[in-house]
């Protein structure tokens, strides 16, 4: 539903959708920013507003009896959704997708008025807000929106796991998330296709479905001649699950890469081989349009990182980013550390609960991506909070036992609750010292997995039009950081600040 929207910068709660005068509304398409900004020198309050989006949905009569799901992939930052004047959903995060069931309020065979109220002002109870943030938090429905018309029994998504990626014969567990209006029998066939589209494995099982949403595992065993996923050979397989229950039929497909990724005190190992991580951070913001860029431009950033800058790693600072960018990382072989929204500030209990919800939404959305090798479960550069970070780590491990967690800090000797000590090390100021010794950083007697998640960058700010000596020194500082990362036996690698800011 990316076309044919109407937009107003002045959303008024006392007006119904029908009361808005079309002549005062702007015709827009998604992705969209609530306020186009100047290239330089603007007050961030200019995009902090309560705006409104309106679209007509012509619901087919044939949809009646189905479950109609509306998904908004990203709206910054607090959203309320109304259909024909009645509230049907809300969401309190600008960086994760949300889906709502609009079946009961939809008028079938008629035109329906969909209104999305988007509040892009800072809210004390919504991460990353509550104190100072050092990055722009643009507003609007800046990612795509779509409808799904599902049968009474439908397959919403699949979660893929390989417990033995380094064995010659591999196993693929496919957990199918199926929603049924009532208890029933179903057959599900899971088929695995090679990167070339050849069928290489298939399994059919009959399931007894309970009412509501449940997960059902189907296993493909003895898979042979599987090519592993790595940065040089990003082999992507496709798993297709087909469900049949009476007259209902549904198909869900997901891409997947067979690979093993582990951080250890001796470094990072991909598919059993030690790999030095050399990367940069990435913000999802652009001049003029803020966050609102389409698929083509999102993918271009991954191409720049991998092919022009020579990185094998990127960190999504400091929030979950576009699925199009991550799709390109999967396809191009760019490793990813993805983290929850935030910058230094931790709020009260309601804030923490929302942060946990955002962590869950991030992991569920990006579970199958081979590019993601580390979940960032700590608010960037925040103080220690034993209770909160015990909960974020426990939640991440319960949702995804196969991936490790990290928590980006800038405080030396902060408490390690994660699997990897991820640390912003800005020691280097042009002299011989580049990174601190591990024990000085962690305060721990024994070595632990260590990854530098920020360095350099704004410590020596440089523009392309600066004089040659400054440009050269800037390049040399990055080179010294890379050399240090390559030479340190106790370091997984380094992610510098910042490719796109």
């Amino acid at each position: 539903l990316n076309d044919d929207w109407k937009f107003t910068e002045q959303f008024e709660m006392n007006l119904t959708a029908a009361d808005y005068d079309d002549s005062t509304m702007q015709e827009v398409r998604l992705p969209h920013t609530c306020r186009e900004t100047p290239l330089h020198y603007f007050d961030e309050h200019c995009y902090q507003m309560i705006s409104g989006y309106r679209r007509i949905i012509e619901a087919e009569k044939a949809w009646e009896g189905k479950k109609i799901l509306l998904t908004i992939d990203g709206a910054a930052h607090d959203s309320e959704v109304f259909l024909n004047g009645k509230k049907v959903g809300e969401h309190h995060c600008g960086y994760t997708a949300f889906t709502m069931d609009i079946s009961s309020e939809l008028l079938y065979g008629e035109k329906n008025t969909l209104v999305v109220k988007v509040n892009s002002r800072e809210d004390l109870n919504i991460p990353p807000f509550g104190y100072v943030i050092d990055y722009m938090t643009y507003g609007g429905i800046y990612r795509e929106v779509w409808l799904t018309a599902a049968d009474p029994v439908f397959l919403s998504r699949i979660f893929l796991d390989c417990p033995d990626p380094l064995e010659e014969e591999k196993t693929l567990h496919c957990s199918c998330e199926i929603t049924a209006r009532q208890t029933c029998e179903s057959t599900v066939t899971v088929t695995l296709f090679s990167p070339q589209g050849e069928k290489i494995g298939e399994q059919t099982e009959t399931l007894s479905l309970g009412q509501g949403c449940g997960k059902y595992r189907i296993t493909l065993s003895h898979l042979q001649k599987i090519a592993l996923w790595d940065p040089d050979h990003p082999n992507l397989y496709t798993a297709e699950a087909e469900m049949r229950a009476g007259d209902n039929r549904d198909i869900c497909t997901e891409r997947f890469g067979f690979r093993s990724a582990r951080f250890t005190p001796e470094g990072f190992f991909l598919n059993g081989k030690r790999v030095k991580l050399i990367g940069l951070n990435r913000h999802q913001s652009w001049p003029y349009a803020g966050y609102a860029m389409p698929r083509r431009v999102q993918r271009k950033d991954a191409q720049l990182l991998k092919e022009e800058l020579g990185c094998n790693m990127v960190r999504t600072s400091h929030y979950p980013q576009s699925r199009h960018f991550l799709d390109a990382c999967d396809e191009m072989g760019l490793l990813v550390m993805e983290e929850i929204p935030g910058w230094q500030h931790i709020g009260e209990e309601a804030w923490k609960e929302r942060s946990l919800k955002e962590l869950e939404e991030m992991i569920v959305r990006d579970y199958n991506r081979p590019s993601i090798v580390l979940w960032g479960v700590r608010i960037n550069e925040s103080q220690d909070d034993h209770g909160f970070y015990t909960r974020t780590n426990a939640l991440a491990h319960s949702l995804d036992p196969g991936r490790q967690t990290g928590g980006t800090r800038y405080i030396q000797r902060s408490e390690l609750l994660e699997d990897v000590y991820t640390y912003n090390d800005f020691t280097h100021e042009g002299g011989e010292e580049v990174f601190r010794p591990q024990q000085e950083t962690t305060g721990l007697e024994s070595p632990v997995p260590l990854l530098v998640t920020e360095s350099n960058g704004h410590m020596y700010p440089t523009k392309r039009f600066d004089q040659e000596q400054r440009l050269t020194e800037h390049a040399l500082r990055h080179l010294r950081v890379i050399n240090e990362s390559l030479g340190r036996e106790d370091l997984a690698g380094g992610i510098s600040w910042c490719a796109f800011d």
Side-chain angles (χ1 to χ4, degrees):
L1 306 179
N2 294 329
D3 297 325
D4 304 319
W5 288 84
K6 298 279 190 174
F7 171 75
T8 176
E9 293 185 359
Q10 303 296 325
F11 185 91
E12 299 181 45
M13 284 303 299
N14 60 333
L15 296 181
T16 68
D19 290 329
Y20 279 99
D21 180 1
D22 275 6
S23 65
T24 66
M25 300 185 77
Q26 178 186 359
E27 293 185 4
V28 301
R29 71 184 306 269
L30 308 182
H32 180 258
T33 184
C34 66
R35 176 68 59 84
E36 186 175 310
T37 56
L39 180 62
H40 294 299
Y41 306 115
F42 60 88
D43 185 336
E44 69 270 18
H45 290 94
C46 74
Y47 56 72
Q48 295 176 2
M49 63 179 75
I50 298 179
S51 56
Y53 292 81
R54 190 180 76 185
R55 192 189 194 280
I56 302 301
I57 299 175
E58 296 194 26
E60 298 179 20
K61 190 69 176 174
W63 292 356
E64 199 160 9
K66 295 180 179 290
K67 186 179 284 289
I68 311 301
L69 303 172
L70 173 71
T71 299
I72 297 177
D73 202 31
H77 289 268
D78 192 57
S79 304
E80 294 180 76
V81 183
F82 303 86
L83 187 64
N84 300 323
K86 185 171 181 179
K87 186 174 177 178
V88 293
E90 61 184 42
H91 189 245
H92 311 288
C93 176
Y95 301 103
T96 54
F98 58 108
T99 299
M100 64 220 76
D101 186 346
I102 63 172
S103 310
S104 60
E105 302 304 325
L106 204 60
L107 303 176
Y108 298 92
E110 301 181 36
K111 292 184 178 181
N112 297 260
T113 303
L114 173 67
V115 172
V116 184
K117 171 190 171 186
V118 181
N119 187 347
S120 53
R121 300 179 302 183
E122 297 190 8
D123 188 309
L124 294 180
N125 287 320
I126 298 178
F129 304 119
Y131 194 57
V132 176
I133 309 166
D134 83 332
Y135 56 89
M136 298 296 183
T137 57
Y138 303 95
I141 304 181
Y142 70 94
R143 293 178 185 161
E144 295 84 357
V145 174
W146 62 88
L147 275 182
T148 301
D151 286 328
V153 183
F154 69 97
L155 175 61
S156 53
R157 66 162 303 159
I158 55 179
F159 300 86
L160 303 168
D161 293 285
C162 176
D164 50 5
L166 302 186
E167 298 296 327
E168 188 170 336
E169 288 192 349
K170 297 174 178 47
T171 303
L172 181 66
H173 296 311
C174 179
S175 294
C176 303
E177 189 175 88
I178 302 175
T179 300
R181 194 169 292 175
Q182 59 189 27
T183 58
C184 61
E185 294 288 311
S186 170
T187 60
V188 177
T189 299
V190 176
T191 308
L192 183 66
F193 295 94
S194 72
Q196 294 75 34
E198 301 169 347
K199 183 190 293 188
I200 56 174
E202 187 173 271
Q203 179 68 27
T204 300
E205 293 190 15
T206 300
L207 306 174
S208 296
L209 304 181
Q211 185 177 2
C213 182
K215 275 188 180 180
Y216 306 86
R217 177 187 281 189
I218 295 175
T219 298
L220 278 65
S221 303
H222 308 298
L223 298 171
Q224 299 179 348
K225 297 182 180 179
I226 299 290
L228 296 178
W229 185 98
D230 65 38
D232 295 324
H233 308 92
N235 297 297
L236 287 173
Y237 290 74
T238 300
E240 178 185 278
E242 180 181 8
M243 183 214 68
R244 293 180 181 270
D247 294 332
N248 299 316
R249 175 177 177 267
D250 205 0
I251 292 178
C252 185
T253 61
E254 285 279 342
R255 296 191 305 182
F256 182 73
F258 291 84
R259 60 108 180 97
S260 167
R262 301 303 295 175
F263 290 85
T264 76
E266 292 74 40
F268 174 70
F269 289 82
L270 185 66
N271 301 328
K273 299 177 181 179
R274 185 172 178 175
V275 174
K276 276 291 185 178
L277 301 175
I278 303 297
L280 290 163
N281 286 265
R282 187 234 191 196
H283 269 299
Q284 62 170 21
S285 50
W286 287 266
Y288 310 114
Y291 285 163
M293 277 292 173
R295 175 179 180 271
R296 173 182 56 82
V297 184
Q298 300 283 355
R299 294 177 60 86
K300 182 66 175 179
D301 275 4
Q303 181 184 358
L304 290 171
L305 283 161
K306 179 73 190 293
E307 298 177 4
E308 295 195 25
L309 295 172
C311 295
N312 61 10
M313 180 78 172
V314 62
R315 171 174 166 237
T316 65
S317 52
H318 304 287
Y319 39 76
Q321 297 185 6
S322 164
R323 67 181 69 225
H324 301 311
F325 173 73
L326 296 172
D327 282 346
C329 292
D330 288 338
E331 295 166 15
M332 297 177 189
L334 188 61
L335 299 164
V336 178
M337 174 186 177
E338 188 171 34
E339 66 183 357
I340 53 177
W343 190 79
Q344 296 192 353
H345 170 73
I346 303 174
E348 302 297 331
E349 187 57 32
W351 192 100
K352 293 177 181 178
E353 289 295 331
R354 285 194 173 151
S355 183
L356 287 163
K357 180 65 175 174
E358 292 166 4
L359 173 61
E360 178 179 2
E361 291 171 341
M362 176 181 77
I363 292 175
V364 168
R365 187 193 73 164
D366 295 326
Y367 187 94
N368 293 324
R369 297 188 179 280
S371 60
I372 296 177
V373 295
L374 194 63
W375 296 124
V377 302
R378 183 183 175 107
I379 303 301
N380 175 66
E381 295 190 342
S382 60
Q383 301 287 324
D384 286 343
D385 188 320
H386 181 84
F388 179 41
Y389 291 136
T390 297
R391 294 167 69 192
T392 61
N393 277 278
L395 177 60
H397 287 134
S398 68
L399 292 169
D400 184 3
R403 279 190 186 87
Q404 292 169 293
T405 60
T408 300
R409 69 242 315 136
Y410 73 122
I411 302 169
Q412 291 174 257
R413 304 176 180 86
S414 75
E415 183 181 23
L416 177 62
L417 295 171
E418 302 79 28
D419 301 310
V420 183
Y421 202 101
T422 43
Y423 179 68
N424 294 346
D425 192 330
F426 288 103
T427 301
H428 186 48
E429 295 182 347
E432 292 185 5
E433 187 178 15
V434 179
F435 293 149
R436 295 183 179 92
Q438 178 170 145
Q439 190 171 2
E440 183 180 329
T441 296
T442 67
L444 302 172
E445 293 185 5
S446 300
V448 296
L450 177 64
L451 174 67
V452 172
T453 39
E454 289 182 28
S455 63
N456 240 8
H458 62 287
M459 300 294 289
Y460 193 74
T462 307
K463 303 296 183 185
R464 59 189 173 141
F465 46 76
D466 284 338
Q467 43 90 0
E468 186 175 0
Q469 184 178 7
R470 188 172 188 89
L471 293 172
T472 303
E473 173 59 20
H474 185 261
L476 288 171
R477 289 193 181 198
H478 277 287
L479 181 59
R480 295 181 199 119
V481 164
I482 292 171
N483 281 342
E484 181 80 0
S485 297
L486 293 174
R488 283 269 295 269
E489 294 296 320
D490 63 337
L491 187 62
I495 305 173
S496 291
W497 191 266
C498 179
F500 312 105
D501 195 349

